[in-house]
């Protein structure tokens, strides 16, 4: 396991980590808004690293990366450029990319804007960057603005004012957040997520969370045409207990990305509890193995 910092520009430095055999194809993990790379559970990262050189990193204003938004504001599309900067720093020409939540949106930007850098893509827990309506088997169509909205309980928690709760109070708040994001199908283990957040806080060296990604400029993200004609092999995970982009958002996403394949992860919500690690890793690895077999004959063994 190796760590390094990636200097994106004079104001932005990103923490990153790699593990796994460097001779294997690279898999880049992109986390959600306000979440550092340590939001990817160790067991899941290790499962993916059994077949890949896995790289994860801290977004700007998370973890050990630069806290830069207040002095150098940026756009969400700049966060996608950061992913390319990480690949460049590791001298990776093409990678499998897996993104969750905001990371899933950034993955779509990479599919659209940098297809030559992707071996494959996996998108989880994200809305489509497309204005194309959802088509139903009966021939009807649902406009994007009529798709289900975020669970009201999640919105209420997000609306609470940011305050200094102290370390234990901050941990309580984060665990409650994960409880809601977990959904109602897989039993929630608060100690599992408390331990995860303790590691995140120890890694960052602070418990205060800037949470500035929601303030970043979200304009210029529609990629309807580019996603409709992409040739990047894409897997979309369907999470039946998803509270942020509930079904049928995954069906919509799989429709707007050309050739995308949809796979349901039983019981999954917007979190990554231990119960989903094995089926999620199996789905991702089946996807990447098939692509590697085409791109690098013999790599799927």
């Amino acid at each position: 396991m190796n760590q390094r910092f990636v200097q994106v520009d004079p104001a932005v430095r990103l923490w990153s980590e790699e593990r796994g055999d460097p001779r294997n194809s690279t898999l880049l993990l992109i986390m959600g808004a306000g979440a550092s790379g340590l939001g990817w559970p160790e067991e899941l990262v290790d499962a993916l690293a059994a077949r890949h050189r896995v790289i994860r990193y801290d977004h700007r204003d998370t973890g050990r990366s630069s806290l830069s938004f207040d002095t150098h504001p940026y756009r969400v599309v700049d966060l996608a450029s950061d992913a390319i900067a990480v690949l460049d720093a590791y001298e990776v020409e093409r990678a499998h990319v897996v993104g969750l939540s905001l990371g899933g949106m950034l993955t779509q930007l990479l599919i659209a804007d940098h297809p030559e850098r992707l071996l494959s893509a996996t998108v989880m827990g994200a809305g489509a960057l497309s204005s194309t309506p959802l088509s139903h088997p009966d021939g009807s169509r649902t406009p994007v603005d009529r798709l289900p909205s975020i669970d009201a309980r999640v919105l209420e928690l997000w609306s609470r004012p940011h305050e200094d709760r102290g370390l234990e109070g901050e941990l309580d708040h984060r665990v409650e957040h994960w409880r809601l994001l977990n959904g109602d199908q897989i039993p929630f283990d608060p100690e599992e997520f408390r331990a995860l957040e303790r590691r995140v806080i120890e890694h960052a060296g602070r418990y205060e969370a800037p949470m500035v990604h929601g303030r970043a400029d979200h304009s210029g993200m529609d990629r309807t045409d580019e996603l409709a004609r992409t040739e990047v092999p894409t897997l979309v995970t369907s999470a039946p207990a998803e509270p942020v982009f509930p079904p049928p958002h995954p069906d919509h996403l799989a429709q707007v990305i050309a050739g995308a394949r949809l796979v349901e992860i039983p019981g999954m919500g917007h979190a990554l509890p231990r119960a989903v690690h094995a089926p999620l890793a199996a789905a991702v690895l089946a996807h990447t193995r098939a692509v590697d077999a085409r791109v690098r004959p013999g790599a799927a063994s």
Side-chain angles (χ1 to χ4, degrees):
M1 189 185 310
N2 298 311
Q3 302 178 24
R4 72 170 74 172
F5 284 94
V6 175
Q7 197 74 41
V8 175
D9 61 37
V12 176
R13 187 175 74 155
L14 307 177
W15 174 88
S16 66
E17 173 205 90
E18 67 171 327
R19 70 178 70 177
D21 191 333
R23 296 171 297 182
N24 291 336
S25 58
T26 299
L27 188 150
L28 180 70
L29 295 170
I30 307 180
M31 242 299 153
S36 84
L38 265 67
W40 295 102
E42 297 299 315
E43 299 90 340
L44 178 59
V45 177
D46 285 339
L48 298 173
R51 287 203 70 255
H52 292 288
R53 176 197 192 191
V54 175
I55 299 172
R56 61 177 172 174
Y57 67 99
D58 291 342
H59 291 298
R60 307 181 190 197
D61 291 287
T62 74
R64 296 180 182 175
S65 292
S66 300
L67 304 180
S68 60
F69 185 83
D70 288 332
T71 55
H72 296 83
Y74 48 82
R75 304 173 301 159
V76 172
V77 294
D78 294 327
L79 298 178
S81 297
D82 287 350
I84 297 297
V86 171
L87 293 181
D88 288 344
Y90 282 88
E91 300 182 339
V92 176
E93 182 178 352
R94 300 175 70 198
H96 302 284
V97 176
V98 178
L100 172 65
S101 194
L102 174 65
M105 295 182 181
L106 300 181
T107 299
Q108 292 176 68
L109 291 174
L110 297 180
I111 292 170
D113 300 344
H114 300 280
E116 76 285 353
R117 302 301 299 272
L118 273 61
L119 288 168
S120 77
T122 299
V123 183
M124 304 186 292
L129 303 184
S130 172
S131 58
T132 302
L134 170 66
S135 298
H136 300 281
D138 62 5
S140 62
R141 289 157 67 85
T142 300
V144 174
D145 60 5
R146 297 294 298 276
L147 291 172
S149 59
I150 300 170
D151 187 298
R153 295 169 296 177
V154 175
L155 287 175
E156 189 279 326
L157 187 143
W158 287 353
S159 71
R160 296 177 190 174
H162 182 70
E163 57 186 356
D164 186 345
R165 305 176 179 90
L167 174 58
E168 294 304 320
E170 179 65 21
L171 284 167
D172 290 342
H173 175 75
R174 295 188 189 190
V175 169
E176 179 59 22
H177 188 207
W178 283 121
R179 183 190 304 276
L180 295 176
L181 295 182
N182 188 71
D184 55 8
Q185 295 190 22
I186 291 175
F188 180 74
D189 180 357
E191 292 309 313
E192 176 186 349
F193 284 91
R194 198 174 192 88
L196 171 69
E197 288 298 338
R198 282 195 186 278
R199 291 194 298 272
V200 168
I201 288 170
E202 290 170 1
H203 167 73
R206 64 183 185 280
Y207 65 80
E208 304 89 353
M211 297 303 293
V212 300
H213 292 162
R215 293 160 51 198
D217 182 354
H218 284 63
S219 65
M221 292 179 61
D222 187 284
R223 294 295 187 275
T224 299
D225 294 339
E226 295 88 347
L227 294 175
R229 63 171 181 262
T230 187
E231 295 182 358
V232 175
T234 302
L235 176 71
V236 174
T237 62
S238 177
E242 169 69 62
V244 180
F245 291 101
H249 275 278
D251 302 82
H252 179 233
L253 185 53
Q255 285 184 18
V256 302
I257 301 176
R261 188 167 59 91
L262 186 67
V263 173
E264 180 174 309
I265 307 300
M268 186 172 172
H270 201 74
L272 299 172
R274 289 192 185 95
V276 307
H277 294 176
L280 184 57
V284 172
L285 292 177
H287 178 56
T288 60
R289 184 181 295 112
V291 174
D292 281 345
R294 294 195 299 269
V295 177
R296 304 165 60 199
S301 59

